[in-house]
Structures are given as C-alpha cells and as structure tokens.
C-alpha cells in the first residue's frame, strides 16, 4: 500500500498563502500521476491540480495563476496556494496513481487537511 501523509492546512485570511505537502510511503509501488483534490462542505470532491511523473501539470480554472503544484524525485508533492479566497475553503486531499506488478494500478488517498480562508 501507499500511505500519503498531508500537512500544511490551516486558517488564513483572504489574500494570504498556504503551502500543502504530501509525503508518500510504500516503496513497492511506482507512482505516476499525483494530484490534489478538494471537497467543499456540501459539494463533491473536485480536482484542483495534477502533476505527472515527468512534471507536466494541469490546474482547475478556478485556481490557475494562484496555485502551483510541484513534485520532487522522491514523489513528495506540494501545492503552493497564493491569493487565497474564501471559496478555496475546503478539505484538501492528496491523491496518487500507483502501480505494482502483482496488484496492478490503484488509486491512493491521503486523510485530508482542512484549509479555511476567512477574515
């Protein structure tokens, strides 16, 4: 299994910044695409940003120009969030697309970290 440990959430004022981190464990799995999702209260989980093994990134329109996803060669992933808005308030989840020769492809999720943007 791949365990994803998230950190960096918290309370911030509008216009502020936060940096989320996701550290995976489980060396038996190779990881392709990693992503950040978020779930606002009363809404479905939505994709915020993703990054491939090669470093290609994609963003939801609502966060383009404000959020930056990154990943290092140890698959430690970060999400730098700037110019935060109240509508960014959500639980943010780390996601990893893992592959293991004996178990095939599987999606893994972190436990989530709360981000609250409020005056």
């Amino acid at each position: 299994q791949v365990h994803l440990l998230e950190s960096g959430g918290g309370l911030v004022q509008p216009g502020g910044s936060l940096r989320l981190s996701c550290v995976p464990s489980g060396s038996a799995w190779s990881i392709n695409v990693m992503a950040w999702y978020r779930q606002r209260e009363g809404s479905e989980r939505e994709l915020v940003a993703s990054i491939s093994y090669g470093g290609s990134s994609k963003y939801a329109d609502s966060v383009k120009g404000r959020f930056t996803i990154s990943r290092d060669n140890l698959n430690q992933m970060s999400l730098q969030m700037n110019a935060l808005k109240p509508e960014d308030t959500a639980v943010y989840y780390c996601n990893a697309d893992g592959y293991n020769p004996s178990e095939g492809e599987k999606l893994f999720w972190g436990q989530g970290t709360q981000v609250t943007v409020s005056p």
Side-chain angles (χ1 to χ4, degrees):
Q1 298 296 308
V2 175
H3 296 282
L4 301 173
L5 182 60
E6 300 141 337
S7 61
L11 173 64
V12 65
Q13 292 186 343
S17 298
L18 282 174
R19 186 177 182 88
L20 305 183
S21 295
C22 174
V23 178
S25 62
S27 60
W29 292 76
S30 61
I31 297 176
N32 185 12
V33 177
M34 298 185 74
W36 289 98
Y37 284 75
R38 69 184 179 189
Q39 188 166 17
R40 301 186 184 102
E41 189 171 349
S43 299
E44 294 185 354
R45 196 172 294 188
E46 62 178 355
L47 178 65
V48 175
S50 65
I51 186 165
S52 71
Y53 181 81
S56 297
S57 58
K58 297 180 181 180
Y59 298 90
D61 288 342
S62 59
V63 306
K64 281 181 182 176
R66 300 189 297 123
F67 291 10
T68 303
I69 191 170
S70 61
R71 173 180 179 176
D72 66 16
N73 58 358
L74 298 177
N75 291 323
Q76 297 182 50
M77 180 176 65
S78 295
L79 185 69
Q80 178 66 42
M81 304 186 295
N82 298 327
L84 282 161
K85 304 175 181 180
E87 51 264 41
D88 294 318
T89 295
V91 178
Y92 284 71
Y93 296 90
C94 174
N95 168 276
D97 180 10
Y99 176 79
N100 178 293
S102 63
E103 298 189 52
E105 189 173 359
K106 186 175 180 179
L107 289 179
F108 297 95
W109 293 91
Q111 80 285 356
T113 184
Q114 176 71 46
V115 171
T116 302
V117 184
S118 180

